[in-house]
Amino acid sequence: GSLVAAVLAHSGRLDKEHLGARVGRLSRRGEVCTMINKKYGEFLPSMQSAEDLVAQVEGLSSNIDLLKAGIENEVQRDLNVAVAEFTELKQQLERDTLVLSVLRKLQEFDTTIKECSSALLEKQFVTAAQQLEKARSSLRSLESRRGFELKILKALGTELTVQTQNTIYHLGEEWQKLIVWKLPPSKGSSSLEAVVLSELHLHTVPAQDGDTAVPPVAAVLQALAVLGELHSKLKDFGQLLLQYILKPLISHPSLEPVPEEQPDVFILRFRSQELALDESSPMEVFDKIKLVFEVLHKYLLNVPLEQPGEGRKEGRVTLAELLGELIWEELSDCLIHNCLVNSIPSNSSKLEQYKEVIESTEEFEKALKKMHFLKEDTTALLKYACNVDSHFANKKCQDVIMAARNLMTSEIHNTVKITPDSSIALQELPDPGSGDHLKMHRPSSLLHNGMVNLGSESRLSPFTLCLPTCRISSSVQQLVELAYHTLLEATASTDLCCVQLFDCVRNIFQLFYEVVPTYHRENLQKLPQLAAIHHNNCMYIAHHLLTLGHQFRYRSTGVLSTGAATFVDLVPGFRRLGMECFLAQMRVQKGEILERLSSARNFSNMDDEENYCAANKAIKQVLHQLRRLGMVWQDVLPVNVYCKAMGALLNTALAEIVTRIAALEDISAEDADRLYSLCRIMVEEGPQVFTPLLEEDKNKKYQEEVPVYVQRWMTFKELMIILQANLQEIVDQWADGKGPLAEEFSAAEVKSLIRALFQNTERRAAALAKIK
């Protein structure tokens, strides 16, 4: 009961609170309802208007659908028909426009052709040429239209060609009236006689005796330029100008231009001076060429021409400029190769005088540029003239090489004698110790007896390092002198020129090494004297090459002073060249000696008269050959070389005789006597072939020294002793292997000779036993 009472009490409390809350909410709801009613009242008119608008839109949409259906069904069909009609009308308009354009071009072509004919009749050549170009332009425009080809175009092209050629023909006639060449009958000749008979006539004013006046030169030239024919006319004119005027003036120093002005014509003639130099100076040639161009410029070339479409900044150019482009390259080459080249000095001392040539070349180019014959940037002649150092070196090298080649191909047998005191005819070279000061060389202090004092008791002959006395070709002496003078020229030249001249000298000697043995090969093989001279030539050149570069080292402050300018590397080659040639000749002579001795029938059976005569003849032939060689080489080879060569050949003969006699198996007493007589001939006459000097009394010394040069001389003498000795004398000569016989023969050879000379007896056996 209490619990219920409590619950009720509590629920009563809750109801009160809840009721209060509900009352509050209801009051707020009332306010909201009032607001909603207000808004609703305002919304109803808007909603009504929206519904009206929707109804209108639906009606409009219905009308659009009806309109669209009408357009698709009626208007679209009419529109397609209109577009087709418009397209057709447009195409017709285009066709009509094209036809009208073609008709206008045809009318324009016809008009220009008529105007060209009228202008040509009135000799208005520029107008005629311009009309032809317009007609050509119209025809090109017609021909360029694709899909619109007319048969008439071919006829129009033919008409244009006829009119063009007709105009060109009349212009050609007028050109020939303006410029008249009177050439000799033999055209193509540029000889002096033909040029003297040539004349150039320039009709630059109307002729007084003609029915029609000659039109001005400018009109003819401009018309030719418009038609594109001026280039060919100028080219022909330029070639005639080069052939009959310009080149002859350069090539013939005696030729001189003679201008003559008359009232209606200008005439350029030529005359030949009887007293004229072989070569014209560049100044004289430039003056003559300048006179010709001044005349041409005054009467022909100073004509301005319209030259559109050629990439020029200015459309107007002069005829001189056009002619210059055609002939200047050929003319400048001719001036360089036939005029300036000849003026290049051949000696460095004359280089200073060449400045006058450079100045005249510069003035000549300025004059041609002033006449518009040359462009401002054209300096071919001046560049060539200013590069004189290089041209001088090239010309000098060419002259030196040509001179050297002529010397190398000249005869070898023309000789000069070289002595130890021979020297090249040059200015005195500086002292090596003087350095760059180039002081003159002081002669070495000589003692009264001609010896050089070395600062101690040792003394050397002044001829210690000199070439021994011999004969060389005069051409080789001149060749070496040419090398010295060329190097002397190099020391006074610029570095570039100096290097070229030094290389040129090296080329001289390398050329000698290649040319001489080939060019003179046959004579060097056949003629012993020439082989000896060639040997001396090579040794002479090698002797000078040793010090050639060193001699000029202290004379120059340029590239030669660095020490790299040397010729020492060429020395072994020249020595080998001379030795090989002479040794080849020695082999030939040795072969001939052996061939002659081969006819001696091995020196066997000398008791047979026929065999003895054959051996004797062979000995005589060998001695004759040696005697002839001795005379051929006399006063040619150096004495020591002469003696060694003759000694080697005589030794060959003696060695062959010794070998053949030692090989005999049986030698009778008569055979031994005859062999001894043959050997005695060799011993008595052999030394007489040694005649190195012309003075007979001076040759005795070398004849007495034959054993020094003939290696088998003593062997031969010992053989002679054996042929005449008995067994005891042979044993005594052997002297137990210590005697003179043992020095020349081996034991086997001596035993063989004993067996051949003596019969087999106890005494021979005893003698053989002692030879060991």
Side-chain angles (χ1 to χ4, degrees):
S2 59
L3 178 59
V4 171
V7 169
L8 288 175
H10 179 69
S11 63
R13 217 172 26 251
L14 289 176
D15 288 338
K16 288 179 180 181
E17 291 176 359
H18 181 66
L19 181 61
R22 289 188 63 188
V23 172
R25 283 196 298 271
L26 288 176
S27 62
R28 284 194 297 273
R29 285 179 181 174
E31 292 175 359
V32 171
C33 288
T34 302
M35 186 182 299
I36 289 173
N37 289 332
K38 184 179 179 180
K39 292 291 181 180
Y40 182 74
E42 293 175 356
F43 171 72
L44 286 177
S46 298
M47 180 180 176
Q48 188 66 38
S49 63
E51 290 176 353
D52 295 341
L53 184 60
V54 169
Q56 292 177 7
V57 169
E58 289 177 353
L60 182 60
S61 176
S62 177
N63 293 334
I64 289 174
D65 291 338
L66 293 175
L67 183 60
K68 181 178 179 182
I71 290 175
E72 291 176 353
N73 296 329
E74 298 178 4
V75 177
Q76 184 68 38
R77 182 177 63 253
D78 297 338
L79 184 61
N80 291 336
V81 173
V83 169
E85 292 178 355
F86 176 76
T87 303
E88 184 178 356
L89 290 174
K90 182 180 178 183
Q91 291 175 353
Q92 183 66 35
L93 178 61
E94 289 177 352
R95 284 194 297 270
D96 293 343
T97 303
L98 180 61
V99 170
L100 181 61
S101 174
V102 170
L103 292 175
R104 285 178 179 175
K105 290 294 181 181
L106 291 173
Q107 181 186 13
E108 182 181 341
F109 180 87
D110 183 67
T111 303
T112 53
I113 291 295
K114 290 179 180 179
E115 290 180 359
C116 172
S117 300
S118 301
L120 194 59
L121 291 175
E122 298 175 3
K123 290 187 178 284
Q124 297 177 358
F125 295 111
V126 176
T127 303
Q130 291 173 346
Q131 293 302 322
L132 281 175
E133 287 302 306
K134 288 182 180 179
R136 184 173 288 107
S137 176
S138 299
L139 185 59
R140 287 172 182 169
S141 177
L142 290 172
E143 292 174 344
S144 65
R145 298 182 182 275
R146 297 181 179 179
F148 195 86
E149 299 177 357
L150 296 177
K151 295 181 179 179
I152 195 175
L153 295 182
K154 185 176 181 180
L156 295 180
T158 303
E159 177 66 19
L160 178 61
T161 301
V162 171
Q163 288 293 335
T164 302
Q165 294 302 319
N166 186 34
T167 305
I168 292 174
Y169 172 75
H170 284 84
L171 287 173
E173 287 187 334
E174 298 301 333
W175 173 269
Q176 292 178 358
K177 293 178 183 178
L178 291 171
I179 302 173
V180 180
W181 287 93
K182 293 188 177 181
L183 302 176
S186 58
K187 285 188 176 182
S189 173
S190 58
S191 62
L192 182 60
E193 294 77 10
V195 175
V196 171
L197 297 176
S198 304
E199 293 182 5
L200 173 61
H201 293 221
L202 298 177
H203 296 268
T204 56
V205 295
Q208 301 297 325
D209 56 350
D211 296 336
T212 58
V214 177
V217 62
V220 176
L221 295 174
Q222 184 64 56
L224 288 171
V226 172
L227 294 177
E229 293 294 319
L230 183 60
H231 183 274
S232 62
K233 297 292 183 184
L234 274 183
K235 186 176 182 180
D236 295 338
F237 175 76
Q239 291 303 314
L240 291 173
L241 189 67
L242 285 170
Q243 182 176 355
Y244 290 100
I245 296 181
L246 300 178
K247 287 185 176 180
L249 287 176
I250 299 171
S251 304
H252 304 295
S254 62
L255 198 63
E256 183 178 351
V258 182
E260 179 183 348
E261 186 174 1
Q262 296 182 4
D264 59 345
V265 66
F266 179 85
I267 302 175
L268 184 61
R269 295 189 176 95
F270 302 92
R271 67 185 176 191
S272 179
Q273 300 175 351
E274 295 182 359
L275 301 176
L277 300 174
D278 294 337
E279 294 181 357
S280 296
S281 66
M283 288 73 74
E284 296 174 352
V285 173
F286 290 158
D287 290 340
K288 294 176 184 178
I289 301 296
K290 189 162 45 175
L291 173 61
V292 173
F293 278 114
E294 287 174 351
V295 168
L296 292 175
H297 183 265
K298 181 178 180 181
Y299 295 100
L300 178 64
L301 300 180
N302 191 23
V303 177
L305 302 172
E306 296 289 342
Q307 291 286 314
E310 295 187 7
R312 300 179 183 272
K313 294 182 180 179
E314 298 180 1
R316 297 176 66 83
V317 296
T318 62
L319 190 65
E321 185 176 349
L322 297 179
L323 183 62
E325 292 177 356
L326 291 173
I327 70 171
W328 173 244
E329 183 177 357
E330 188 172 353
L331 178 60
S332 61
D333 288 342
C334 185
L335 284 169
I336 289 173
H337 294 103
N338 296 312
C339 180
L340 289 179
V341 166
N342 299 329
S343 67
I344 299 295
S346 57
N347 195 305
S348 58
S349 60
K350 297 180 181 179
L351 285 174
E352 190 68 23
Q353 303 174 5
Y354 192 77
K355 290 183 178 180
E356 184 180 358
V357 176
I358 297 177
E359 293 174 357
S360 64
T361 305
E362 186 175 6
E363 293 175 0
F364 177 67
E365 283 193 347
K366 285 182 179 179
L368 295 186
K369 289 176 181 178
K370 186 176 181 181
M371 291 183 281
H372 302 289
F373 184 78
L374 292 183
K375 296 180 181 179
E376 290 297 326
D377 58 347
T378 305
T379 57
L381 286 181
L382 188 58
K383 284 182 179 179
Y384 183 90
C386 292
N387 198 15
V388 62
D389 286 336
S390 176
H391 301 319
F392 163 73
N394 292 336
K395 182 178 180 181
K396 183 70 177 180
C397 291
Q398 290 177 1
D399 294 343
V400 168
I401 291 295
M402 287 301 297
R405 188 182 182 279
N406 292 334
L407 291 173
M408 294 173 198
T409 55
S410 61
E411 295 296 336
I412 297 178
H413 63 263
N414 297 326
T415 61
V416 293
K417 194 167 187 176
I418 297 298
T419 59
D421 55 351
S422 299
S423 60
I424 299 296
L426 286 176
Q427 300 177 9
E428 196 170 0
L429 296 178
D431 185 355
S434 60
D436 295 335
H437 299 291
L438 301 180
K439 297 178 182 178
M440 299 309 292
H441 177 63
R442 297 179 180 178
S444 302
S445 58
L446 299 179
L447 301 182
H448 66 279
N449 59 353
M451 307 298 287
V452 179
N453 189 354
L454 299 181
S456 64
E457 295 182 357
S458 301
R459 296 175 182 177
L460 288 177
S461 168
F463 304 133
T464 299
L465 300 178
C466 293
L467 202 68
T469 301
C470 62
R471 282 195 171 273
I472 64 169
S473 301
S474 58
S475 59
V476 170
Q477 185 185 43
Q478 296 172 22
L479 184 71
V480 174
E481 289 179 355
L482 178 65
Y484 271 91
H485 286 285
T486 305
L487 287 177
L488 193 61
E489 189 88 29
T491 59
S493 305
T494 60
D495 286 350
L496 176 63
C497 183
C498 182
V499 171
Q500 286 184 264
L501 291 178
F502 170 76
D503 291 338
C504 178
V505 175
R506 285 187 63 92
N507 290 338
I508 288 175
F509 295 114
Q510 291 172 349
L511 192 65
F512 182 95
Y513 191 89
E514 300 293 337
V515 168
V516 172
T518 304
Y519 186 84
H520 300 282
R521 176 179 298 169
E522 186 175 353
N523 289 334
L524 293 177
Q525 291 175 350
K526 292 181 178 180
L527 304 176
Q529 186 184 39
L530 294 190
I533 295 174
H534 178 65
H535 166 270
N536 295 347
N537 291 343
C538 294
M539 295 304 169
Y540 178 79
I541 292 175
H543 176 74
H544 282 278
L545 290 179
L546 281 171
T547 59
L548 185 58
H550 184 74
Q551 292 180 62
F552 290 91
R553 177 179 181 182
Y554 299 101
R555 189 176 184 87
S556 171
T557 57
V559 293
L560 294 184
S561 62
T562 60
T566 181
F567 298 86
V568 176
D569 58 305
L570 302 178
V571 171
F574 272 90
R575 288 178 174 172
R576 183 170 56 253
L577 182 66
M579 288 299 297
E580 287 177 352
C581 176
F582 190 68
L583 290 176
Q585 186 60 229
M586 288 287 291
R587 286 192 292 270
V588 172
Q589 296 302 323
K590 287 182 178 180
E592 292 181 3
I593 289 174
L594 296 176
E595 184 179 356
R596 288 185 169 91
L597 290 176
S598 66
S599 63
R601 302 185 180 181
N602 293 328
F603 295 94
S604 62
N605 300 324
M606 288 293 100
D607 52 353
D608 186 344
E609 192 65 28
E610 186 177 349
N611 289 352
Y612 176 75
C613 290
N616 187 54
K617 182 180 179 181
I619 293 292
K620 294 293 186 182
Q621 287 178 342
V622 169
L623 289 172
H624 176 72
Q625 177 186 344
L626 294 175
R627 193 175 296 109
R628 179 175 56 85
L629 279 176
M631 297 302 296
V632 166
W633 288 341
Q634 185 183 59
D635 198 42
V636 173
L637 287 171
V639 172
N640 63 327
V641 178
Y642 178 96
C643 292
K644 289 180 180 179
M646 294 302 298
L649 294 176
L650 181 58
N651 186 73
T652 299
L654 297 182
E656 180 68 12
I657 294 173
V658 170
T659 300
R660 290 179 181 270
I661 293 177
L664 295 175
E665 296 180 354
D666 185 20
I667 304 175
S668 65
E670 186 177 356
D671 289 346
D673 291 340
R674 290 196 167 187
L675 288 174
Y676 179 82
S677 64
L678 292 176
C679 292
R680 186 174 61 188
I681 294 174
M682 291 295 296
V683 171
E684 291 176 354
E685 299 185 16
Q688 296 177 11
V689 302
F690 284 76
T691 55
L693 303 177
L694 294 174
E695 300 83 356
E696 288 296 332
D697 55 337
K698 294 184 178 180
N699 291 327
K700 292 181 180 180
K701 171 186 175 183
Y702 304 103
Q703 294 171 359
E704 294 172 354
E705 295 177 352
V706 166
V708 177
Y709 303 107
V710 182
Q711 184 179 1
R712 303 299 297 273
W713 182 259
M714 296 308 299
T715 304
F716 196 76
K717 297 276 285 186
E718 290 296 324
L719 176 64
M720 292 177 63
I721 292 174
I722 292 176
L723 290 175
Q724 291 294 301
N726 54 38
L727 285 172
Q728 186 59 44
E729 290 174 342
I730 294 175
V731 172
D732 293 341
Q733 284 290 106
W734 181 258
D736 295 330
K738 298 179 181 179
L741 182 59
E743 294 181 2
E744 307 299 333
F745 289 96
S746 65
E749 291 173 334
V750 174
K751 289 180 179 180
S752 176
L753 283 170
I754 292 174
R755 291 188 182 100
L757 287 167
F758 300 97
Q759 294 180 354
N760 189 6
T761 62
E762 293 181 358
R763 292 184 59 194
R764 191 186 79 170
L768 290 174
K770 294 180 180 180
I771 305 300
K772 54 183 178 180

